[in-house]
Every structure is written in C-alpha cells, then in structure tokens.
Amino acid sequence: MKRNLNPPMKRALRLKNLFLTVCFLLIGTAAFSQERTITGVVTDSFKEPLIGVSIVVQGTNTGVVTGLDGDYSIQVPPNATLDFSYVGMEKQSIKVGNQSVINVQMKEDSQMLAETVVIGYGSAKKRDLTGSITNIKGDEIANKPVANPLSALQGKVAGVQIINSGKAGADPEIRVRGTNSINGYKPLYVVDGLFNDNINFLNPQDIESMEILKDPSSLAIFGVRGANGVIIITTKKAKEGQTRVNINGSFGFKAITNKIAMVDADGFKLLYNEQLKNEGNPEYNFSDWTGNTNWQDEIFQTGFITNNNISITGASDRHSFYLGAGYAYEQGNIKHEKYSKITLNISNDYKVTDNFKVGFQFNGARMLPADSKSVATALRAAPVAEVYNKEYGLYTSLPGFQKAQMNNPMVDVELKANTTKAENYRGSGNIYGQWDFLQHFQFKAMFSLDYASNSTRTYTPIIKVYDASAENDIATLGTGKTGVTQAKETEMKVQSDYLLTYTNSWGDHSLTATAGFTTYYNKLENLNAGRTQGVGLVIPDNPDKWYVSIGDAATATNGSTQWERSTVSVLARILYNYKGKYLFNGSYRRDGSSAFSYTGNQWQNFYSVGLGWLMSEEEWMKGIEWLDMLKLKGSWGTLGNQNLDRAYPAEPLLSNAYSAVFGTPSAIYPGYQLAYLPNPNLRWEKVEAWEVGAEANFFRNRLHFEGVYYKKKTKDLLAEVPGISGTVPGIGNLGSIENLGVELALSWRDQIGDWNYNVGANLTTIKNKVLSLVQDGYSIIAGDKSQSYTMAGYPIGYFYGYKVEGVYQTQEEINSSPKNTLATVTPGDLKFKDVNGDGEITTADRTMIGDPTPNVTYGITLGVGYKNWELAVDMMGQGGNQIYRTWDNYNWSQFNFMAQRMDRWHGEGTSNTQPLLNTKHTINNMNSEYYIEDGSFFRIRNVSLAYNFDKALISKIGMQALKLYVNIQNLKTWKHNTGYTPELGGSAIAFGVDDGSYPMPAIYTFGFNLTF
C-alpha cells in the first residue's frame, strides 16, 4: 500500500536531498581544484644552477624565483602552465599535467645574437656586420611628448649629438660624429627606402624601428649622400595574426622652469643712472616710469600638449594591412603660439603567389606651424615701463631711450599674434613588387614619391600704443600701413630602385650579395610676393583676405627660386662569413649627378671594406662561461657629400651688376655678372673614414659592450676663393676637415623574480680640426657678431676674440700693463691679454677663446620593473664646449641689465669680472672671453612611470592590453650658462651662439595605451 506524505514532510525531504547534493558537489569541486606542489631545479646549458629564474603560473600573478641552488617550489592548480624566464635565456612554457617534479635546462637566447637590423637596400644579422649600427625600437620613442621622432633619441645613441629646441613643433639638429663640412651637417634620412632630408611629417607612433648608421662600411652604399651619417626609418606594418586595434592618447602641460636673471625696476634705475653718470650725462627722470614689470612673466604661458593616435592592423597568410591616424596639438610657451599636425599611415602587402608579392606604403601629414616669437625683446625691455594703459585700452610704449629701437614686448606677442599663417602638406610613399626565384635569388623593384607643399601668408597690421609724449597720447608704430606677403614652395622627390639579391649558405660559407640600379630626381620651386595698402584701402585684419591679390599693385614685390637635379647610381654589396666567425663586408657605389654635368666630373666612385672576427666562436674560447660573444671589427671607406647651398656649384647664377645708358632717347640697360667664377674641375666633397672596435656579451648576455675608435677626413671642401681687389670670387675644392674620437656603449639587464632592471650608458668623444682651407691664413667669418671663425689648424666655427685677464682697477695698473692700442682704457675696463707678447694689445692678440663642439657627450638610462609596474629614467649631458652670448652685446639701444651686472666695477677692488657701466667704452663690447660661457650641462631628460593592467583581468571586457603612464621630460638641468638652455644649434660654421634662445620647458604628460 502506497503511503502518502503530507506537504511539510515532502518539503523536508526535498531540502535534505538538495543539501546532500550541494555537499557532494562542494567536496568534488574541492577535490578537483586542489592545488599541487611542483618542485624542480633550473640549470643553464652547462648544467650549472641558475639563481633568480622567474617561474610564473601562466595567466596569473602567482610566481616564485629559484634559490641559490637553482631549486624552486610552487603551488599550482591542475592543468596549469609554468613560464620560465631569465635574462639572456629563451623563455620556456611547460604544461604541468601529472608532473610533480619539473627540471628545466634554459637555453641561450639566440635571437640576441641573430638580431636583424635594417641596412641600406636590405637587412642583415647584426652579428654578420663589421660596422657601427644602432637599432632603436619604436616602443622607445612612442610615448614621448615630441613632434619630431628624432627628438626622443637625445642621449640614447653614442656618436649622435641631438640639439632640441623648446619651440612648439621645432625640428632638432642632428650631427653624427661631428661636423664634417663647412657646407652642412645634416644626415640622410631613409623612410621605407625613400631618401629624404627630414622626418617631421612622421608620427612617432607609426615607427617600427630606427637604425643609425655611422661607419664607412655601412654608409658607402649611399654614395654622395652618406658622408654625414644615415638614419633609416621603418614604419609599422601588420604582423601575421588577428586583427588588432590600438588607441593611445596623452595630454599634459609645458612650463618654463628656468628664467634669465634680470634686474628689477629699482636695479635698473640704479645701474642706468650710474651708467649715465659715467658717460658724463645727467640722471634720467623716472617720475613718469613707475612700473616694475617682469617682461618674461608677461610673455610666457603654461602650454597645453596632446597626442592622440589610433591604428588598425590585420594579417593573414597572404594579405596584411596597417592603418594609422594621429593628431598632435602643442602650445608654445610664448602666448598664442600653437602647432598642430594630422598624420596618416597606410600600408598594404599581398602575396600573389608563394614567391611573388606586391605592396604599397603611404605617409601623409598636414602641419600648421606655430607663429613663433622671440624672447630677446622681453630680456632687453626696461622693467620701469607699465605693460598696459587701462584708460586708453592700449599697450604702452617704452621709455625714450628705447622706444625708437624696440617695442613693448607685448606688441609682438599680442598684437602680432598669429599674423603669420603657415600650412604645410606632405605625402610620401612607395609601391613595390618582390619576386623570389631559383631558391636563392630575390628581385625587388620599388618606385617612391615624396611631395611637399608649403604655403605661408603674413599680415602687417596697423599698431597703436599709448605714448604720453605723442600727440593725443597715441603713437602709431612703423609706417602705419597694412601689408601682406605670401610664399608658396613645392618640392618633389622621385626615386626608383631595382635590386637583385643572392643569399646562400654552403658548407662553412655564407654569402649575401646585392646589386642594384637606382635613380633619384629632386625638384624645388618657390614663389614669393608682397603688397602694402599703398594709397588704397586698409587691408582687413582677416586671414581670408591675406593674399597678394589685395593691396596696391604699385607696391608689389616678388621673387622666386627654382632648381632641379638628378642622380643615377649603380651599387653592389657583399656580406660574407666563413664558419660563422670570419666576416667580410664590401660595398661599392658609382653615382652620376647632374649638379656637376658642366665639368665632366659628374661621376664619382665610393667603396668600403670591413673585416670582423667572432673570437667567441673559436674552439679555444668556448669554455669561457662568462663570455657569450666577442667580436673584433674594423672598416674603411669613402663617402660623399652633396649637402651644398648651391644646386649647381659648377654653374653660377647671374647677379645684378652695373647698368649702362644707351640710345636716343636714352634707355637704361641693366648689367649682369656671374656670382662667382666657375671652376671646370669642381667635384663632390669626399670623406675618407675608418674605425676599429669590438662588441661583446658577458654573463649570459646580461652585460653588453660596444666600443669603437673612429677617424674621418673630409677632402675637397667646396669653398669660395676671394677675388683680388673686389673682383668676382671663385669657387674650388680647397680644404679638408678631420673628426676623430671614441664611442663607448655599455648596458646591463637582469631579472630577479618579479623584479627586473636595466642600466645603460654611452659616451662619445669628439675632436674636430680644420686641416686646410683655401690658403694659409684664410678664414671664414660668420655669426651676427662675427665671432665664429673657421681656419686651418682650429676647430670648425671656433670663437675668436681677446682673452680677458680681469678688470683694470687703477690708472697705475694700466700704466704698468701692455699698452692697449685698440682704445683708450680707464679703470673699470676689461683687461685683455697680450697673447703674442709684443708689449701691446693689438688685433694680433686675438685668438681662439672657445669651441662650440663638445669634447664629450654622454647618456645614461635606468629602468626598473616590478610585476606590472615600469619605471624608466633617461639622463644625458655634454662637456668641454663653450657658448658665445650675443643678445646683450649691442649698443644700438639701451638694454635692461642682467642681474650679474649688479656686481659691476664701480671703484677700485669692487669687481675683477664685470666691467664698469659705460656704453662709450666700446672696448668692453669687443669679442672677448667676457661673453664666453661654459656649455657643459647634465640633464634628467625623461622620467616615466607606467602600469600595465593584468591581461587576465582586462580580457573579460574585451581588451588585450591596457597601460597607463605619466611622463616628465626635461625634469632638471644643471648648467653653467646664463641663458635659458645650453642646447644651442646653428649652421655648420656658426653654432653654439646664444642670441636670445627659446626656453626649454619641462613637459608633464599623462597617457594611456589600449589594445583590442
């Protein structure tokens, strides 16, 4: 008989069954998920225990490190995978399975020895090369707040001096192993195979790698373009795998942290009246000038900066694509300055068959350069003037002793803000086809084009200021008429490359041979014009009207520049090694240039040889456990230079000369003459260079060393020969320059459990000397104060003037000192040294008083990582160079005084460094050591802190990677000069001169990097 249960009993029975089921599941789950202990020992290839090997459960933060005996013990769940990693060793991933003991023998990371670098017209394993090539990964520069990718390399590469500017969007100055020529110093840039003169149109986020080539065996393949070094840029392309989207952005601000010390209003009144007294003039009445203005504070601002990028990549077995877009915006540190850039990078590669592929690459940019202003007026303007007159709503004029020569600094900064509109477009790209055939051969044809279009329009407004001495208290500056100038420049570069490469290994031999034919065409056109309002209507202050079609046609001016030239080249290179340890690199290039087609010397040959010995591959060295790799290397070669200021140096332009009157009625016929006398034997400048050095890895590849001694001699310098008694000068190959020095680079990296760290340093010495120039005693004089000289026996662009022994204290001291024939001196004047010892101070006592080329440059990098955290610090500096200060060395107007002038001489014993205040004593303005400053400095260039989110965590919301970071650039600079920055560039023959340089700001940015 079936028994029926009442409802309460049924419910109790169901609860009992549910409870038993849950208990059973919990017990089963606990048993199933029970962690196990895995133990083992980790050894190296010699079966010696490894200390500090990191062992992590894949996909988690759980990990341990090996002990003194290489042993470890770790708790893991079933089906776990353990990742074993150690610096200098290949990472290994091992599934636990049913194992309880896992012993691992680590293998040396062969990729470190087989690192592939991009070289001219191809790539090669770095271990097979005999030259000096530095590889910089794109990740090292990607998150830095720079407009030009090259700026981020400062202090990172031995032998490369990078001088940055604080101006928004400004390009850095690059000198590779010194200044090679009086005609230029800029290196060649090769962007995805296309020769170029700048890379400011590239987005740092789109760069995959950069290679800096410095030695002759690497550079000779570039012929007439290789003398000043080559920087090869490879932009990003897709890698095989799934489609990825990367978004990154940063924002921050720029602040001036170092200002020039100037006197305030009270200090100015004291010093100016003392100066007037010394000059025999009455004191100035400052009753109407009661301001106390710090003009630097008035013109400067804290600028905003942002960089934003997005990229999409995808690849399959046959097809890959990359699309990247970026936007950068940067404000200058002078009010109203702003710079922006939009970039686009597209690449596409397609395998038509297994041995034939085609593709294209394109980089485009639209840049709006900043309307940059100068800081010099803010330094020179008297602090006693008020900035603004509220009653009239106008900026004030400066006092009478200044207003005729300079304006209120805010006139330029505010009233002329953004009156120059520039818009630059750049497109660069290539298409290629590559065919692999007969197993060992590859043929590649590539066609490249670069087109730049730059336009500039400048407006001259009518400016009125408050001036109590003017009629109605209002003064109009300048001509009182509006005007417009307009310029348009286009430049096109067309390049074609046809390359055949043979690669094979047989027995103990390995060979890569390349032969090629290449053409290059370069064309530039520039048109410029201007008009003023004349007698017509005022030109509106509206950028839409700033074109030369407006204004008075009778006031029109115009000009133009245009040229085109081309080169045709054949090239060949052999990379050979025997038994993987005896290396030979040889290259040859023959260039033909239209620039010298008028002389018959249009063809020039360039070649190089390099030898290397991988000593560590010798049997008798393989037992040295602490040595992983040792390579001795050396190379010699000839390079060319075509960085000249003339498109056709052998064919001079015609210039306006005397005019003549002929005929009835008489007419004026203009006359022309050659700008200089042509030389039928002109040829390219040529550089002969050689280097010897070594590379080595120690302690399981944790310590890396590179060192070279280099020497370069530039021959056949193109220089002007002065004409006799005012006749037309000539031009010829008349001079030589030598650069030599040492480059050292050392790095250490290691990992200790969850910690990893790296330390790196590089150092370069430079000794520059002009060996010969035109004729004995000939000098090239340059600079706004004629302070920079280039002469045989001295460094290029050295500073020339009088040595200073102090300040004359008394008339007795003057009487007992060598007679100064330059001027009548009094106590308080600078005391020049009698260099030649003839008992007099004459122009013959001028000598070298400074060298703008540093004796040594260096960089230091530090990096620390802990789990998901990363900290990196970059430092750099230089020493042994001098700076020449010119911005305060003029008498065309009264300037404000530097704070150091408070220590001026104003009586016996008051100063032996600062002369008296008296503008009539021009001897104190002559080029001398008084204006020389120490250019040595040390800077904390970059500090960054980043956090990488755990991949297992962010994968739950569809992310592959997420990084947050904070970055500080130019955190602190220790320097000796009085200016804003010790980084001062210039031309090849006049550099290191402080003429009122732009400040170098500290930049604070915050950013993220997100990958889907």
Side-chain angles (χ1 to χ4, degrees):
M1 177 179 170
K2 188 174 180 180
R3 189 178 174 185
N4 293 322
L5 299 176
N6 57 34
M9 292 183 64
K10 289 182 179 180
R11 286 195 296 271
L13 183 61
R14 284 197 293 268
L15 289 172
K16 177 182 177 181
N17 292 336
L18 178 61
F19 175 76
L20 292 173
T21 301
V22 170
C23 290
F24 174 78
L25 290 174
L26 289 174
I27 293 171
T29 302
F32 179 77
S33 62
Q34 185 177 6
E35 291 191 341
R36 299 160 50 198
T37 301
I38 305 298
T39 61
V41 176
V42 182
T43 59
D44 62 13
S45 57
F46 297 99
K47 297 186 178 180
E48 295 290 330
L50 284 175
I51 306 168
V53 177
S54 174
I55 305 159
V56 179
V57 178
Q58 195 174 89
T60 73
N61 290 325
T62 303
V64 297
V65 296
T66 56
L68 294 175
D69 298 321
D71 57 331
Y72 71 94
S73 176
I74 187 171
Q75 299 289 321
V76 301
N79 301 322
T81 298
L82 293 178
D83 290 335
F84 295 79
S85 60
Y86 190 70
V87 173
M89 301 288 183
E90 291 182 359
K91 182 178 179 180
Q92 295 190 39
S93 298
I94 300 176
K95 291 185 177 180
V96 172
N98 296 322
Q99 303 176 82
S100 59
V101 177
I102 300 178
N103 296 322
V104 178
Q105 185 176 19
M106 304 292 285
K107 299 178 181 178
E108 289 187 358
D109 189 354
S110 59
Q111 289 186 351
M112 292 186 63
L113 299 179
E115 178 188 3
T116 299
V117 295
V118 179
I119 57 177
Y121 304 100
S123 60
K125 294 179 180 178
K126 189 173 181 180
R127 61 166 290 164
D128 293 337
L129 299 175
T130 61
S132 297
I133 299 177
T134 300
N135 173 265
I136 300 294
K137 302 299 183 185
D139 293 341
E140 297 184 48
I141 62 176
N143 295 327
K144 302 298 188 295
V146 295
N148 190 311
L150 296 168
S151 297
L153 298 183
Q154 189 177 43
K156 289 182 174 292
V157 183
V160 179
Q161 182 187 12
I162 298 178
I163 299 175
N164 283 316
S165 169
K167 292 183 179 180
D171 295 328
E173 180 180 295
I174 315 291
R175 298 183 192 235
V176 179
R177 290 183 174 177
T179 306
N180 300 310
S181 171
I182 61 176
N183 294 301
Y185 56 82
K186 294 182 179 180
L188 169 68
Y189 303 98
V190 183
V191 182
D192 295 321
L194 174 61
F195 287 13
N196 232 311
D197 54 4
N198 203 321
I199 62 168
N200 59 0
F201 62 97
L202 293 180
N203 182 347
Q205 292 284 347
D206 288 332
I207 292 179
E208 181 71 25
S209 68
M210 300 175 71
E211 271 80 16
I212 296 92
L213 283 58
K214 300 173 286 186
D215 74 288
S217 70
S218 305
L219 296 171
I221 197 74
F222 294 99
V224 295
R225 302 294 297 273
N228 292 326
V230 174
I231 299 178
I232 300 177
I233 296 93
T234 303
T235 57
K236 288 181 179 178
K237 292 189 176 183
K239 298 178 176 63
E240 190 170 331
Q242 62 188 29
T243 300
R244 290 189 177 184
V245 178
N246 179 266
I247 302 173
N248 61 77
S250 68
F251 65 94
F253 58 93
K254 305 162 54 180
I256 302 299
T257 57
N258 177 56
K259 295 177 183 176
I260 296 178
M262 307 296 295
V263 299
D264 61 7
D266 289 338
F268 180 82
K269 293 174 184 177
L270 172 68
L271 297 182
Y272 184 52
N273 278 331
E274 181 179 315
Q275 175 185 301
L276 292 175
K277 180 180 179 182
N278 292 338
E279 294 170 353
N281 296 317
E283 290 189 350
Y284 189 81
N285 182 5
F286 286 102
S287 58
D288 294 330
W289 301 96
T290 58
N292 187 18
T293 303
N294 185 321
W295 292 107
Q296 295 178 82
D297 291 342
E298 294 298 325
I299 69 169
F300 289 147
Q301 68 174 359
T302 297
F304 176 73
I305 182 172
T306 183
N307 286 279
N308 304 277
N309 307 276
I310 183 170
S311 64
I312 304 173
T313 64
S316 62
D317 292 342
R318 290 196 174 276
H319 178 244
S320 65
F321 72 91
Y322 178 92
L323 172 63
Y327 171 74
Y329 174 82
E330 179 181 357
Q331 291 180 337
N333 283 109
I334 295 180
K335 293 176 180 178
H336 303 297
E337 293 178 342
K338 52 188 177 181
Y339 163 88
S340 66
K341 178 169 72 171
I342 298 173
T343 60
L344 181 66
N345 180 18
I346 306 173
S347 69
N348 199 310
D349 300 279
Y350 183 73
K351 283 187 177 180
V352 180
T353 66
D354 289 340
N355 59 359
F356 180 65
K357 68 176 182 179
V358 296
F360 72 86
Q361 178 88 30
F362 173 79
N363 286 286
R366 175 183 182 263
M367 294 169 283
L368 302 180
D371 183 9
S372 297
K373 305 300 183 182
S374 170
V375 301
T377 305
L379 299 176
R380 293 166 174 165
V384 297
E386 296 284 357
V387 177
Y388 193 78
N389 185 283
K390 294 181 180 179
E391 179 183 353
Y392 287 84
L394 296 171
Y395 287 102
T396 63
S397 65
L398 295 179
F401 51 78
Q402 284 190 326
K403 67 179 183 180
Q405 294 82 27
M406 68 177 82
N407 297 319
N408 182 322
M410 302 308 292
V411 168
D412 247 5
V413 172
E414 291 284 354
L415 303 183
K416 293 184 179 180
N418 299 313
T419 52
T420 293
K421 298 289 185 181
E423 192 170 8
N424 300 341
Y425 291 88
R426 189 77 173 265
S428 176
N430 65 68
I431 58 173
Y432 77 91
Q434 181 177 300
W435 177 36
D436 299 324
F437 62 100
L438 297 179
Q439 189 176 357
H440 302 295
F441 289 90
Q442 182 187 92
F443 177 74
K444 183 177 183 179
M446 185 170 71
F447 305 95
S448 307
L449 173 67
D450 180 282
Y451 188 82
S453 176
N454 304 328
S455 61
T456 304
R457 295 176 292 126
T458 300
Y459 174 70
T460 302
I462 296 175
I463 296 176
K464 298 180 183 296
V465 296
Y466 170 78
D467 185 349
S469 65
E471 186 178 353
N472 298 321
D473 296 336
I474 297 176
T476 301
L477 301 181
T479 63
K481 292 185 178 182
T482 55
V484 173
T485 61
Q486 186 178 353
K488 177 80 171 182
E489 180 177 281
T490 60
E491 184 173 11
M492 182 172 64
K493 307 179 183 77
V494 182
Q495 181 177 315
S496 64
D497 300 300
Y498 307 88
L499 302 172
L500 179 65
T501 303
Y502 172 80
T503 306
N504 195 10
S505 297
W506 66 97
D508 294 327
H509 308 274
S510 180
L511 174 68
T512 299
T514 302
F517 173 77
T518 177
T519 66
Y520 187 81
Y521 173 79
N522 193 187
K523 178 182 180 180
L524 180 140
E525 293 180 346
N526 178 288
L527 292 172
N528 57 81
R531 286 188 183 184
T532 65
Q533 70 181 61
V535 295
L537 296 175
V538 172
I539 300 173
D541 188 359
N542 180 351
D544 291 340
K545 310 295 184 183
W546 297 350
Y547 294 92
V548 292
S549 55
I550 202 169
D552 186 349
T555 66
T557 60
N558 57 75
S560 70
T561 301
Q562 52 280 321
W563 52 261
E564 60 179 353
R565 63 185 184 191
S566 58
T567 58
V568 177
S569 311
V570 292
L571 57 93
R573 179 177 57 220
I574 292 176
L575 303 178
Y576 169 79
N577 75 69
Y578 177 65
K579 291 187 175 181
K581 53 188 176 183
Y582 306 116
L583 313 176
F584 172 79
N585 296 177
S587 61
Y588 169 79
R589 180 170 179 136
R590 180 171 174 81
D591 282 321
S593 173
S594 63
F596 287 95
S597 59
Y598 298 96
T599 68
N601 292 328
Q602 62 265 44
W603 290 97
Q604 189 106 316
N605 297 320
F606 305 95
Y607 37 83
S608 71
V609 292
L611 299 174
W613 179 22
L614 270 164
M615 291 181 63
S616 52
E617 294 298 307
E618 299 290 353
E619 290 297 328
W620 48 273
M621 292 197 70
K622 289 189 175 180
I624 305 176
E625 296 183 8
W626 50 267
L627 179 64
D628 303 295
M629 188 273 289
L630 174 61
K631 178 169 70 174
L632 303 182
K633 60 182 183 178
S635 63
W636 175 91
T638 63
L639 316 169
N641 180 32
Q642 72 166 17
N643 287 338
L644 309 177
D645 59 353
R646 302 172 176 88
Y648 289 89
E651 185 71 5
L653 297 175
L654 294 175
S655 59
N656 291 327
Y658 305 103
S659 300
V661 179
F662 295 101
T664 302
S666 61
I668 299 176
Y669 292 87
Y672 300 92
Q673 68 179 11
L674 295 175
Y676 54 87
L677 297 177
N679 186 333
N681 300 313
L682 277 185
R683 55 192 178 276
W684 289 122
E685 296 179 355
K686 182 182 284 189
V687 177
E688 290 186 359
W690 61 269
E691 72 168 31
V692 292
E695 297 178 34
N697 289 341
F698 306 92
F699 308 117
R700 301 188 182 97
N701 295 313
R702 287 179 291 183
L703 178 63
H704 176 72
F705 167 80
E706 289 190 42
V708 297
Y709 172 83
Y710 67 89
K711 187 174 183 179
K712 299 190 297 182
K713 182 178 180 181
T714 305
K715 296 181 175 181
D716 300 331
L717 286 176
L718 279 168
E720 278 196 3
V721 182
I724 301 174
S725 300
T727 59
V728 178
I731 189 170
N733 297 100
L734 301 165
S736 60
I737 294 176
E738 180 181 81
N739 286 276
L740 57 88
V742 173
E743 294 176 2
L744 301 173
L746 194 68
S747 63
W748 171 276
R749 63 191 186 102
D750 200 0
Q751 181 174 327
I752 305 173
D754 293 331
W755 290 88
N756 64 80
Y757 68 96
N758 62 81
V759 181
N762 68 79
L763 181 145
T764 306
T765 66
I766 307 170
K767 185 178 180 181
N768 174 277
K769 186 177 181 181
V770 179
L771 301 179
S772 63
L773 187 63
V774 182
Q775 59 194 20
D776 289 342
Y778 179 79
S779 59
I780 298 175
I781 304 173
D784 54 350
K785 294 289 291 184
S786 299
Q787 76 286 331
S788 299
Y789 274 56
T790 299
M791 182 186 297
Y794 296 92
I796 190 170
Y798 75 95
F799 301 133
Y800 185 71
Y802 297 95
K803 287 187 172 293
V804 176
E805 294 185 315
V807 174
Y808 291 114
Q809 300 296 319
T810 63
Q811 185 62 44
E812 289 74 16
E813 182 182 359
I814 295 174
N815 296 337
S816 62
S817 301
K819 181 182 179 181
N820 195 318
T821 66
L822 305 173
T824 300
V825 294
T826 67
D829 285 331
L830 292 174
K831 182 180 180 181
F832 293 162
K833 183 178 180 180
D834 180 15
V835 173
N836 62 6
D838 64 357
E840 293 183 334
I841 305 300
T842 66
T843 55
D845 290 307
R846 290 179 298 175
T847 186
M848 175 176 166
I849 56 176
D851 182 3
T853 300
N855 294 333
V856 60
T857 61
Y858 57 90
I860 303 170
T861 61
L862 303 174
V864 178
Y866 176 71
K867 292 187 177 179
N868 296 343
W869 291 93
E870 300 173 0
L871 174 66
V873 181
D874 297 335
M875 296 165 281
M876 50 81 64
Q878 65 185 37
N881 64 302
Q882 286 76 44
I883 292 170
Y884 194 90
R885 187 182 76 250
T886 64
W887 64 264
D888 66 328
N889 186 14
Y890 294 93
N891 279 335
W892 48 263
S893 180
Q894 176 62 49
F895 294 166
N896 191 16
F897 301 96
M898 297 178 67
Q900 67 183 18
R901 294 295 274 145
M902 294 295 290
D903 298 325
R904 80 286 180 200
W905 186 95
H906 55 284
E908 182 180 351
T910 54
S911 177
N912 199 36
T913 57
Q914 295 289 330
L916 85 167
L917 297 167
N918 192 326
T919 58
K920 295 180 180 179
H921 287 213
T922 57
I923 189 169
N924 299 320
N925 293 102
M926 292 183 179
N927 293 342
S928 72
E929 284 183 323
Y930 176 71
Y931 297 99
I932 292 290
E933 299 180 339
D934 187 352
S936 304
F937 72 93
F938 175 76
R939 172 176 292 156
I940 301 177
R941 170 62 177 162
N942 210 84
V943 178
S944 64
L945 178 65
Y947 180 78
N948 298 281
F949 282 81
D950 188 86
K951 292 185 178 181
L953 175 65
I954 61 176
S955 62
K956 297 177 181 179
I957 54 176
M959 297 182 187
Q960 289 189 351
L962 174 61
K963 174 191 283 190
L964 300 180
Y965 64 88
V966 57
N967 193 91
I968 305 175
Q969 193 171 94
N970 303 323
L971 176 62
K972 176 67 176 176
T973 302
W974 289 266
K975 63 185 183 67
H976 305 281
N977 67 307
T978 57
Y980 292 111
T981 175
E983 290 187 69
L984 299 164
S987 67
I989 55 175
F991 54 102
V993 178
D994 189 351
D995 55 359
S997 58
Y998 199 97
M1000 184 67 69
I1003 306 176
Y1004 308 85
T1005 54
F1006 309 86
F1008 69 92
N1009 197 318
L1010 172 63
T1011 303
F1012 292 99

